[in-house]
Amino acid sequence: MALRVVLADDNYLVRQGVAALLAEAEDVDVVGVVGEPRALVELVAAEHPDAVLTDIRMPPTFTIEGIEAARRIRAAHPDIGVVVLSQYVEGTYPFELLQDGVAGLGYLLKDRVSDVDELVRALHEVARGGSALDPRVVEGLVARRATEARSPLAVLTEREHEVLQAMATGRNNTAIAKSLFMSERAVEKHIGSVFQKLGVAEEQDVNRRVVAVLTFLEATASA
Amino acid sequence: MGLAVQHTAAMHPRRGRPRTAAERRTALVVASVMTLFVGTVYVVVVLGGAQVLGDPSSPHTVLSILATTVVALSFEPLRARVEHRAARLTNGGRPPPYEVLRGFCDAVAGSYPAEEIPTRMARTLVQGTDAEWAEVWLDVRGRMVRAGSWPAAGDGRGRAPEDPAVLHLGVGYAGGPLGEIRLRPRGGRQLTPVEDRLVTGLAGQAGLVLGEVRLRTALAQRFAELSARAEELRSSRRRLVTAQDDERRRLERDIHDGAQQHLLALTVNLRLAQSLAKRSPERAAEVLAAQAPAARTTVRTVVSLSRGIYPSVLTEQGLPEALAEAAASSGIAVRVDADPVGSCPADVGAALYFTCLEALQNAAKHSGAAEVRVRLAREESAVTLTVEDDGHGFDRVRTRTGTGLANMADRMDAVGGLLEIGASPAGGVRVRARVPLRTGPEA
């Protein structure tokens, strides 16, 4: 059964292009497109899709309307996953989106929209109650922390670094093992080592693991 | 007219002048006391001494010499004290004018701050003459400034100088006028000659110290002006920085909402065409066909964006061409009449260009004008830009296009130019920007 998706973007060209592109994917059914957040919330209530894809910057203020809409939708319909599209790698937007938890939420950079496979995978992930953070966003967060003089990340090996980033994007152990070309046992070993080195309680549940990693990155990113 | 005679600052000679009744009384008292004193000394020393020595028959020569010595030594100190007391008694309890004057001179010689001296002087005058009030005015850089007054007056306007009872005494220093002393005798009465001499005496003494006070006042004024100018420059710079930040934000927004979205849509549609290519070649061709115009739109967006940042035509072809281009894309009918400006410095050209852009935007948005005229005139040592419309003019309070106007003014300020905004002959708005061109070796 195809994934029913609602799409929101204030730019007509982008909205129509992405809708057409998603419609081409076999297991996605675009059930509605809108140009602003209020219409999005209404359409979601009416259509009750499996997943929502929304731009962050939308009218009226062109700031974080998409994030607000995402959190409202998650609060009203916990079974609907939401992926927000952001223009920026930097900034506090991911934390604002994920402050109440990462389950059912995704945060992708906007230029991912042309990578339809990645997009569809993220939509499926959030619809299932998982999370999907753009690897580049996580990379940015980790890199910023790692360059600080007394970074707690300095104690991690290169491999542990990669595993930490993969964890933060919301991948499970199998996916991490596949993307990093290592065995699942090796992944488990690295994860245990990372949590121990960072002094964070080890989490087996993927979503809670993402929260733990992000919380760690945010809490120590005070400088 | 009372005593409102213009005195000169020269001190009156002490001699050759009739004495007042009070002075005569004082002199009489002093003479009486001193006579009594001489008599008493003689009686005590000569007669009393002879008694002690047991030879009362004839005056003793040594005792006479002793008496004379005592009198000679104590006469002057005693006379001064007696005169002081007598003068106070005959002067209604106030210190006598000469003493007042001496007190003032001591004060000036002492270490009072210069800015207190005018007030001290006014007080001295009031105390010495029992005047209602006294003021010291100084001519500071061509303007009369009240430097001190007694009793203290709150505002800087002074008290009814046209009052006929007010005395005006010019004070000069080193051959030039310095200011004046204004004095209103109590109840408008005439000053006694002594008081009159006090006042003129003080005016005569005042030159040197008031000269210093005036210098300090002038210096303080200059300093205040420079501080105000510096503050103006600081706030102008702050406004420029703010305007720059606003501009950057606007650019970021323009790039994000314009070019970036266009490019994103292009990417998405090209990917769409790619995925359609196998299954539905005709639809793929349709999508592709639509992308060429979309790409052209993107290019146009980027071009207009870069013109907003810095028009290349300005650097490449000069101000008149840049103005013509700005006029052509302003969204309102514009007639441009531009002299070739020759070697106009780049900052001046940019300032005039952006001022013109701002004025055209204002005209397009607010004026309701049918036509705008842009005129660029090159003179010997200045370039003048005039933008005038035939719209309904604007009520500055109502439209409050504050930042736009401040932008233009700040841009002009930055290149030493001047911005004037007024009414055009057609009843609309006229914006006139004039920049003097630096001449000399570095220009």
Side-chain angles (χ1 to χ4, degrees), chain A residues 1-6 29 31-32 40-52 73-81 127:
Chain A
M1 188 177 146
L3 193 73
R4 300 177 68 248
V5 173
V6 161
D29 188 4
V31 295
L40 171 64
V41 173
E42 283 168 13
L43 185 63
V44 165
E47 285 289 335
H48 209 93
D50 301 313
V52 171
I73 290 168
R74 286 290 304 162
H77 317 282
D79 56 330
I80 300 180

PDB file of all heavy atoms in Angstrom, chain A residues 1-6 29 31-32 40-52 73-81 127:
ATOM      1  N   MET A   1       0.840  -1.204   0.000  1.00  0.00           N
ATOM      2  CA  MET A   1       0.000   0.000   0.000  1.00  0.00           C
ATOM      3  C   MET A   1       0.868   1.243   0.000  1.00  0.00           C
ATOM      4  O   MET A   1       1.855   1.353   0.724  1.00  0.00           O
ATOM      5  CB  MET A   1      -0.886  -0.022   1.248  1.00  0.00           C
ATOM      6  CG  MET A   1      -1.909   1.098   1.196  1.00  0.00           C
ATOM      7  SD  MET A   1      -3.015   1.039   2.611  1.00  0.00           S
ATOM      8  CE  MET A   1      -3.298   2.771   2.857  1.00  0.00           C
ATOM      9  N   ALA A   2       0.508   2.179  -0.884  1.00  0.00           N
ATOM     10  CA  ALA A   2       1.358   3.375  -1.057  1.00  0.00           C
ATOM     11  C   ALA A   2       1.252   4.309   0.137  1.00  0.00           C
ATOM     12  O   ALA A   2       0.233   4.352   0.822  1.00  0.00           O
ATOM     13  CB  ALA A   2       0.936   4.118  -2.326  1.00  0.00           C
ATOM     14  N   LEU A   3       2.358   5.039   0.352  1.00  0.00           N
ATOM     15  CA  LEU A   3       2.414   6.010   1.448  1.00  0.00           C
ATOM     16  C   LEU A   3       1.663   7.263   1.022  1.00  0.00           C
ATOM     17  O   LEU A   3       1.962   7.872  -0.011  1.00  0.00           O
ATOM     18  CB  LEU A   3       3.885   6.346   1.721  1.00  0.00           C
ATOM     19  CG  LEU A   3       4.214   7.100   3.000  1.00  0.00           C
ATOM     20  CD1 LEU A   3       4.062   6.182   4.201  1.00  0.00           C
ATOM     21  CD2 LEU A   3       5.636   7.645   2.914  1.00  0.00           C
ATOM     22  N   ARG A   4       0.667   7.678   1.821  1.00  0.00           N
ATOM     23  CA  ARG A   4      -0.112   8.870   1.460  1.00  0.00           C
ATOM     24  C   ARG A   4       0.581  10.103   2.041  1.00  0.00           C
ATOM     25  O   ARG A   4       0.807  10.198   3.250  1.00  0.00           O
ATOM     26  CB  ARG A   4      -1.538   8.748   1.996  1.00  0.00           C
ATOM     27  CG  ARG A   4      -2.254   7.508   1.404  1.00  0.00           C
ATOM     28  CD  ARG A   4      -3.649   7.329   1.983  1.00  0.00           C
ATOM     29  NE  ARG A   4      -4.560   8.364   1.563  1.00  0.00           N
ATOM     30  CZ  ARG A   4      -5.079   9.290   2.373  1.00  0.00           C
ATOM     31  NH1 ARG A   4      -4.771   9.278   3.660  1.00  0.00           N
ATOM     32  NH2 ARG A   4      -5.917  10.184   1.917  1.00  0.00           N
ATOM     33  N   VAL A   5       0.926  11.038   1.160  1.00  0.00           N
ATOM     34  CA  VAL A   5       1.759  12.183   1.574  1.00  0.00           C
ATOM     35  C   VAL A   5       1.072  13.509   1.241  1.00  0.00           C
ATOM     36  O   VAL A   5       0.466  13.667   0.187  1.00  0.00           O
ATOM     37  CB  VAL A   5       3.135  12.133   0.862  1.00  0.00           C
ATOM     38  CG1 VAL A   5       3.944  13.394   1.149  1.00  0.00           C
ATOM     39  CG2 VAL A   5       3.905  10.885   1.276  1.00  0.00           C
ATOM     40  N   VAL A   6       1.170  14.462   2.200  1.00  0.00           N
ATOM     41  CA  VAL A   6       0.738  15.837   1.943  1.00  0.00           C
ATOM     42  C   VAL A   6       1.993  16.708   1.897  1.00  0.00           C
ATOM     43  O   VAL A   6       2.928  16.511   2.674  1.00  0.00           O
ATOM     44  CB  VAL A   6      -0.230  16.332   3.041  1.00  0.00           C
ATOM     45  CG1 VAL A   6      -0.311  17.857   3.055  1.00  0.00           C
ATOM     46  CG2 VAL A   6      -1.613  15.739   2.832  1.00  0.00           C
ATOM     47  N   ASP A  29       1.895   8.238  -2.684  1.00  0.00           N
ATOM     48  CA  ASP A  29       0.684   8.804  -3.275  1.00  0.00           C
ATOM     49  C   ASP A  29       0.525  10.216  -2.717  1.00  0.00           C
ATOM     50  O   ASP A  29       0.277  10.388  -1.523  1.00  0.00           O
ATOM     51  CB  ASP A  29      -0.500   7.905  -2.865  1.00  0.00           C
ATOM     52  CG  ASP A  29      -1.774   8.292  -3.594  1.00  0.00           C
ATOM     53  OD1 ASP A  29      -1.686   9.206  -4.455  1.00  0.00           O
ATOM     54  OD2 ASP A  29      -2.825   7.716  -3.277  1.00  0.00           O
ATOM     55  N   VAL A  31      -1.439  13.138  -1.812  1.00  0.00           N
ATOM     56  CA  VAL A  31      -2.877  13.369  -1.705  1.00  0.00           C
ATOM     57  C   VAL A  31      -3.239  14.840  -1.629  1.00  0.00           C
ATOM     58  O   VAL A  31      -4.413  15.201  -1.651  1.00  0.00           O
ATOM     59  CB  VAL A  31      -3.474  12.621  -0.481  1.00  0.00           C
ATOM     60  CG1 VAL A  31      -3.356  11.119  -0.681  1.00  0.00           C
ATOM     61  CG2 VAL A  31      -2.796  13.045   0.816  1.00  0.00           C
ATOM     62  N   GLY A  32      -2.244  15.723  -1.493  1.00  0.00           N
ATOM     63  CA  GLY A  32      -2.582  17.154  -1.478  1.00  0.00           C
ATOM     64  C   GLY A  32      -1.346  18.025  -1.416  1.00  0.00           C
ATOM     65  O   GLY A  32      -0.319  17.621  -0.869  1.00  0.00           O
ATOM     66  N   LEU A  40      -2.089  23.758   5.555  1.00  0.00           N
ATOM     67  CA  LEU A  40      -1.470  22.446   5.752  1.00  0.00           C
ATOM     68  C   LEU A  40      -2.127  21.710   6.916  1.00  0.00           C
ATOM     69  O   LEU A  40      -2.527  20.536   6.781  1.00  0.00           O
ATOM     70  CB  LEU A  40       0.038  22.621   6.019  1.00  0.00           C
ATOM     71  CG  LEU A  40       0.782  21.357   6.447  1.00  0.00           C
ATOM     72  CD1 LEU A  40       0.761  20.308   5.344  1.00  0.00           C
ATOM     73  CD2 LEU A  40       2.212  21.668   6.842  1.00  0.00           C
ATOM     74  N   VAL A  41      -2.271  22.405   8.048  1.00  0.00           N
ATOM     75  CA  VAL A  41      -2.855  21.775   9.231  1.00  0.00           C
ATOM     76  C   VAL A  41      -4.291  21.326   8.935  1.00  0.00           C
ATOM     77  O   VAL A  41      -4.715  20.223   9.304  1.00  0.00           O
ATOM     78  CB  VAL A  41      -2.796  22.734  10.436  1.00  0.00           C
ATOM     79  CG1 VAL A  41      -3.558  22.159  11.619  1.00  0.00           C
ATOM     80  CG2 VAL A  41      -1.340  23.011  10.822  1.00  0.00           C
ATOM     81  N   GLU A  42      -5.030  22.167   8.198  1.00  0.00           N
ATOM     82  CA  GLU A  42      -6.413  21.819   7.857  1.00  0.00           C
ATOM     83  C   GLU A  42      -6.467  20.601   6.943  1.00  0.00           C
ATOM     84  O   GLU A  42      -7.259  19.671   7.148  1.00  0.00           O
ATOM     85  CB  GLU A  42      -7.103  23.007   7.173  1.00  0.00           C
ATOM     86  CG  GLU A  42      -7.521  24.082   8.163  1.00  0.00           C
ATOM     87  CD  GLU A  42      -7.926  25.376   7.465  1.00  0.00           C
ATOM     88  OE1 GLU A  42      -8.117  25.356   6.222  1.00  0.00           O
ATOM     89  OE2 GLU A  42      -8.046  26.389   8.171  1.00  0.00           O
ATOM     90  N   LEU A  43      -5.584  20.609   5.937  1.00  0.00           N
ATOM     91  CA  LEU A  43      -5.580  19.509   4.976  1.00  0.00           C
ATOM     92  C   LEU A  43      -5.177  18.183   5.649  1.00  0.00           C
ATOM     93  O   LEU A  43      -5.751  17.128   5.351  1.00  0.00           O
ATOM     94  CB  LEU A  43      -4.607  19.828   3.826  1.00  0.00           C
ATOM     95  CG  LEU A  43      -4.586  18.801   2.674  1.00  0.00           C
ATOM     96  CD1 LEU A  43      -5.949  18.737   1.993  1.00  0.00           C
ATOM     97  CD2 LEU A  43      -3.507  19.130   1.662  1.00  0.00           C
ATOM     98  N   VAL A  44      -4.227  18.281   6.590  1.00  0.00           N
ATOM     99  CA  VAL A  44      -3.796  17.081   7.301  1.00  0.00           C
ATOM    100  C   VAL A  44      -4.966  16.504   8.103  1.00  0.00           C
ATOM    101  O   VAL A  44      -5.195  15.293   8.113  1.00  0.00           O
ATOM    102  CB  VAL A  44      -2.586  17.395   8.213  1.00  0.00           C
ATOM    103  CG1 VAL A  44      -2.351  16.281   9.215  1.00  0.00           C
ATOM    104  CG2 VAL A  44      -1.336  17.604   7.363  1.00  0.00           C
ATOM    105  N   ALA A  45      -5.722  17.397   8.770  1.00  0.00           N
ATOM    106  CA  ALA A  45      -6.862  16.935   9.556  1.00  0.00           C
ATOM    107  C   ALA A  45      -7.906  16.275   8.658  1.00  0.00           C
ATOM    108  O   ALA A  45      -8.533  15.279   9.032  1.00  0.00           O
ATOM    109  CB  ALA A  45      -7.464  18.112  10.317  1.00  0.00           C
ATOM    110  N   ALA A  46      -8.077  16.832   7.462  1.00  0.00           N
ATOM    111  CA  ALA A  46      -9.101  16.308   6.550  1.00  0.00           C
ATOM    112  C   ALA A  46      -8.662  15.009   5.880  1.00  0.00           C
ATOM    113  O   ALA A  46      -9.438  14.062   5.766  1.00  0.00           O
ATOM    114  CB  ALA A  46      -9.427  17.368   5.491  1.00  0.00           C
ATOM    115  N   GLU A  47      -7.408  14.958   5.449  1.00  0.00           N
ATOM    116  CA  GLU A  47      -6.942  13.805   4.658  1.00  0.00           C
ATOM    117  C   GLU A  47      -6.341  12.690   5.506  1.00  0.00           C
ATOM    118  O   GLU A  47      -6.278  11.545   5.076  1.00  0.00           O
ATOM    119  CB  GLU A  47      -5.889  14.270   3.638  1.00  0.00           C
ATOM    120  CG  GLU A  47      -6.481  15.030   2.456  1.00  0.00           C
ATOM    121  CD  GLU A  47      -7.256  14.097   1.518  1.00  0.00           C
ATOM    122  OE1 GLU A  47      -6.956  12.878   1.509  1.00  0.00           O
ATOM    123  OE2 GLU A  47      -8.155  14.576   0.805  1.00  0.00           O
ATOM    124  N   HIS A  48      -5.830  13.091   6.683  1.00  0.00           N
ATOM    125  CA  HIS A  48      -5.104  12.163   7.543  1.00  0.00           C
ATOM    126  C   HIS A  48      -4.101  11.297   6.766  1.00  0.00           C
ATOM    127  O   HIS A  48      -4.243  10.072   6.656  1.00  0.00           O
ATOM    128  CB  HIS A  48      -6.074  11.251   8.316  1.00  0.00           C
ATOM    129  CG  HIS A  48      -5.475  10.843   9.632  1.00  0.00           C
ATOM    130  ND1 HIS A  48      -5.691  11.518  10.818  1.00  0.00           N
ATOM    131  CD2 HIS A  48      -4.615   9.843   9.930  1.00  0.00           C
ATOM    132  CE1 HIS A  48      -5.005  10.955  11.776  1.00  0.00           C
ATOM    133  NE2 HIS A  48      -4.331   9.935  11.282  1.00  0.00           N
ATOM    134  N   PRO A  49      -3.072  11.945   6.224  1.00  0.00           N
ATOM    135  CA  PRO A  49      -2.070  11.197   5.444  1.00  0.00           C
ATOM    136  C   PRO A  49      -1.151  10.391   6.370  1.00  0.00           C
ATOM    137  O   PRO A  49      -1.254  10.490   7.588  1.00  0.00           O
ATOM    138  CB  PRO A  49      -1.278  12.314   4.756  1.00  0.00           C
ATOM    139  CG  PRO A  49      -1.370  13.455   5.708  1.00  0.00           C
ATOM    140  CD  PRO A  49      -2.713  13.352   6.385  1.00  0.00           C
ATOM    141  N   ASP A  50      -0.252   9.601   5.769  1.00  0.00           N
ATOM    142  CA  ASP A  50       0.731   8.859   6.566  1.00  0.00           C
ATOM    143  C   ASP A  50       1.918   9.751   6.924  1.00  0.00           C
ATOM    144  O   ASP A  50       2.511   9.611   7.988  1.00  0.00           O
ATOM    145  CB  ASP A  50       1.249   7.661   5.769  1.00  0.00           C
ATOM    146  CG  ASP A  50       0.102   6.725   5.380  1.00  0.00           C
ATOM    147  OD1 ASP A  50      -0.698   6.421   6.272  1.00  0.00           O
ATOM    148  OD2 ASP A  50       0.022   6.358   4.185  1.00  0.00           O
ATOM    149  N   ALA A  51       2.245  10.640   5.993  1.00  0.00           N
ATOM    150  CA  ALA A  51       3.402  11.503   6.227  1.00  0.00           C
ATOM    151  C   ALA A  51       3.185  12.884   5.600  1.00  0.00           C
ATOM    152  O   ALA A  51       2.412  13.029   4.653  1.00  0.00           O
ATOM    153  CB  ALA A  51       4.665  10.858   5.661  1.00  0.00           C
ATOM    154  N   VAL A  52       3.899  13.857   6.168  1.00  0.00           N
ATOM    155  CA  VAL A  52       3.823  15.229   5.673  1.00  0.00           C
ATOM    156  C   VAL A  52       5.229  15.684   5.324  1.00  0.00           C
ATOM    157  O   VAL A  52       6.182  15.387   6.061  1.00  0.00           O
ATOM    158  CB  VAL A  52       3.230  16.158   6.762  1.00  0.00           C
ATOM    159  CG1 VAL A  52       3.341  17.623   6.350  1.00  0.00           C
ATOM    160  CG2 VAL A  52       1.777  15.788   7.055  1.00  0.00           C
ATOM    161  N   ILE A  73       1.096  19.270  14.238  1.00  0.00           N
ATOM    162  CA  ILE A  73       0.553  18.049  13.610  1.00  0.00           C
ATOM    163  C   ILE A  73       0.904  16.825  14.447  1.00  0.00           C
ATOM    164  O   ILE A  73       0.061  15.957  14.710  1.00  0.00           O
ATOM    165  CB  ILE A  73       1.115  17.902  12.171  1.00  0.00           C
ATOM    166  CG1 ILE A  73       0.505  18.979  11.260  1.00  0.00           C
ATOM    167  CG2 ILE A  73       0.824  16.498  11.610  1.00  0.00           C
ATOM    168  CD1 ILE A  73       1.192  19.109   9.921  1.00  0.00           C
ATOM    169  N   ARG A  74       2.165  16.754  14.933  1.00  0.00           N
ATOM    170  CA  ARG A  74       2.579  15.611  15.740  1.00  0.00           C
ATOM    171  C   ARG A  74       1.776  15.525  17.030  1.00  0.00           C
ATOM    172  O   ARG A  74       1.430  14.434  17.488  1.00  0.00           O
ATOM    173  CB  ARG A  74       4.073  15.710  16.088  1.00  0.00           C
ATOM    174  CG  ARG A  74       5.011  15.406  14.940  1.00  0.00           C
ATOM    175  CD  ARG A  74       4.997  13.938  14.560  1.00  0.00           C
ATOM    176  NE  ARG A  74       5.307  13.077  15.712  1.00  0.00           N
ATOM    177  CZ  ARG A  74       5.036  11.781  15.775  1.00  0.00           C
ATOM    178  NH1 ARG A  74       4.429  11.183  14.756  1.00  0.00           N
ATOM    179  NH2 ARG A  74       5.348  11.076  16.831  1.00  0.00           N
ATOM    180  N   ALA A  75       1.473  16.709  17.606  1.00  0.00           N
ATOM    181  CA  ALA A  75       0.721  16.714  18.862  1.00  0.00           C
ATOM    182  C   ALA A  75      -0.709  16.232  18.637  1.00  0.00           C
ATOM    183  O   ALA A  75      -1.269  15.481  19.446  1.00  0.00           O
ATOM    184  CB  ALA A  75       0.722  18.109  19.474  1.00  0.00           C
ATOM    185  N   ALA A  76      -1.305  16.663  17.503  1.00  0.00           N
ATOM    186  CA  ALA A  76      -2.708  16.310  17.246  1.00  0.00           C
ATOM    187  C   ALA A  76      -2.843  14.906  16.652  1.00  0.00           C
ATOM    188  O   ALA A  76      -3.831  14.213  16.899  1.00  0.00           O
ATOM    189  CB  ALA A  76      -3.334  17.345  16.307  1.00  0.00           C
ATOM    190  N   HIS A  77      -1.845  14.496  15.854  1.00  0.00           N
ATOM    191  CA  HIS A  77      -1.927  13.182  15.182  1.00  0.00           C
ATOM    192  C   HIS A  77      -0.605  12.442  15.364  1.00  0.00           C
ATOM    193  O   HIS A  77       0.259  12.495  14.469  1.00  0.00           O
ATOM    194  CB  HIS A  77      -2.202  13.366  13.690  1.00  0.00           C
ATOM    195  CG  HIS A  77      -3.233  14.406  13.372  1.00  0.00           C
ATOM    196  ND1 HIS A  77      -4.579  14.171  13.494  1.00  0.00           N
ATOM    197  CD2 HIS A  77      -3.098  15.686  12.957  1.00  0.00           C
ATOM    198  CE1 HIS A  77      -5.241  15.271  13.153  1.00  0.00           C
ATOM    199  NE2 HIS A  77      -4.367  16.202  12.830  1.00  0.00           N
ATOM    200  N   PRO A  78      -0.434  11.752  16.502  1.00  0.00           N
ATOM    201  CA  PRO A  78       0.862  11.091  16.767  1.00  0.00           C
ATOM    202  C   PRO A  78       1.218  10.019  15.751  1.00  0.00           C
ATOM    203  O   PRO A  78       2.370   9.600  15.680  1.00  0.00           O
ATOM    204  CB  PRO A  78       0.646  10.477  18.157  1.00  0.00           C
ATOM    205  CG  PRO A  78      -0.532  11.190  18.734  1.00  0.00           C
ATOM    206  CD  PRO A  78      -1.392  11.577  17.584  1.00  0.00           C
ATOM    207  N   ASP A  79       0.249   9.599  14.942  1.00  0.00           N
ATOM    208  CA  ASP A  79       0.558   8.554  13.963  1.00  0.00           C
ATOM    209  C   ASP A  79       0.997   9.116  12.622  1.00  0.00           C
ATOM    210  O   ASP A  79       1.327   8.362  11.706  1.00  0.00           O
ATOM    211  CB  ASP A  79      -0.671   7.650  13.789  1.00  0.00           C
ATOM    212  CG  ASP A  79      -1.900   8.455  13.384  1.00  0.00           C
ATOM    213  OD1 ASP A  79      -1.977   9.658  13.786  1.00  0.00           O
ATOM    214  OD2 ASP A  79      -2.761   7.925  12.666  1.00  0.00           O
ATOM    215  N   ILE A  80       1.029  10.436  12.479  1.00  0.00           N
ATOM    216  CA  ILE A  80       1.472  11.032  11.211  1.00  0.00           C
ATOM    217  C   ILE A  80       2.921  11.500  11.365  1.00  0.00           C
ATOM    218  O   ILE A  80       3.264  12.241  12.278  1.00  0.00           O
ATOM    219  CB  ILE A  80       0.575  12.235  10.815  1.00  0.00           C
ATOM    220  CG1 ILE A  80      -0.878  11.774  10.649  1.00  0.00           C
ATOM    221  CG2 ILE A  80       1.090  12.882   9.532  1.00  0.00           C
ATOM    222  CD1 ILE A  80      -1.838  12.885  10.266  1.00  0.00           C
ATOM    223  N   GLY A  81       3.752  11.034  10.458  1.00  0.00           N
ATOM    224  CA  GLY A  81       5.149  11.463  10.487  1.00  0.00           C
ATOM    225  C   GLY A  81       5.327  12.764   9.716  1.00  0.00           C
ATOM    226  O   GLY A  81       4.592  13.036   8.755  1.00  0.00           O
ATOM    227  N   ALA A 127       6.888   7.975   9.003  1.00  0.00           N
ATOM    228  CA  ALA A 127       5.534   7.408   9.041  1.00  0.00           C
ATOM    229  C   ALA A 127       5.496   6.196   9.980  1.00  0.00           C
ATOM    230  O   ALA A 127       4.481   5.915  10.610  1.00  0.00           O
ATOM    231  CB  ALA A 127       5.086   7.010   7.634  1.00  0.00           C
TER     232      ALA A 127
END
